[in-house]
Amino acid sequence: MPNNPSGGLGHVPVAVYSCAAASTALSEGEERGRYYADARHWHVAGVWSDSDPARPLMERPGWQAVTAALSAGMIRGVVVGGPTHVGSDAAQFAALGVLLRDRGGFLADASNRTTGRRTPGQVRRRRDIADAASGWFAQTDRHDEGGS
C-alpha cells in the first residue's frame, strides 16, 4: 500500500535511522541523513537510532519504530547514514530496499559512497530514478532562451 505524502511534491515524510556502537558515529549518521533529506526537501518526520549493531535488525527497538511508522503511513521512506547501519553488506542493504519498496516505501543511503563498478553517470541516473520514485524532482539549470 503506497503512502501518500501529506503536503504534495517535495514534502516527502521520511525517517532518519542510524545504528552504531559509538555515540559520535550515531550523531554523524543522523547528521548525514538529515542533510540528505533536507537537500531533497524531504520532511524528517522522525529520527531513530540503535546502539547495538550486532543485534539483528528486526530486533532493534529503533528499527521497529521505523517500520511501525512506515506501516502507519507516517513516513514514505527511510534515510540511513550508510549501508552498514542496516546491513553487513551490499546484498543485505539491497534486500532491505526491496522489502521496504514492497511495503510502499523506499530506502536511501546518505553516505554518497559509490561502488567502483559503476560510472558516475550510472550513479547519477540511479539517484535520479530513486528521487523520481520518491516524488522529488530536480530542477534543471537549462533555460529556454528563445521562449518567453
Side-chain angles (χ1 to χ4, degrees):
M1 166 173 107
N3 299 319
N4 295 323
S6 59
L9 185 66
H11 187 82
V12 177
V14 296
V16 172
Y17 176 78
S18 57
C19 181
S23 61
T24 54
L26 282 175
S27 3
E28 288 171 4
E30 178 185 335
E31 182 180 340
R32 199 175 11 231
R34 284 183 180 276
Y35 179 79
Y36 186 89
D38 288 344
R40 285 150 183 79
H41 303 287
W42 293 344
H43 169 69
V44 177
V47 177
W48 288 276
S49 63
D50 289 302
S51 59
D52 186 5
R55 189 174 201 177
L57 181 64
M58 300 306 172
E59 294 178 11
R60 298 177 191 167
W63 183 254
Q64 290 173 351
V66 168
T67 57
L70 181 64
S71 296
M74 293 174 50
I75 60 170
R76 284 196 54 205
V78 181
V79 179
V80 295
T84 58
H85 291 264
V86 291
S88 61
D89 58 22
Q92 282 185 346
F93 183 79
L96 183 60
V98 170
L99 178 65
L100 290 180
R101 188 172 53 242
D102 289 346
R103 292 183 178 182
F106 64 91
L107 179 63
D109 170 15
S111 68
N112 291 326
R113 294 182 200 160
T114 59
T115 62
R117 294 181 294 181
R118 292 193 184 118
T119 67
Q122 289 171 324
V123 171
R124 178 161 174 72
R125 177 161 166 67
R126 290 173 63 95
R127 186 176 302 129
D128 289 345
I129 290 169
D131 288 343
S134 67
W136 182 80
F137 299 96
Q139 296 287 333
T140 61
D141 292 333
R142 297 180 188 161
H143 300 284
D144 183 14
E145 301 203 8
S148 47

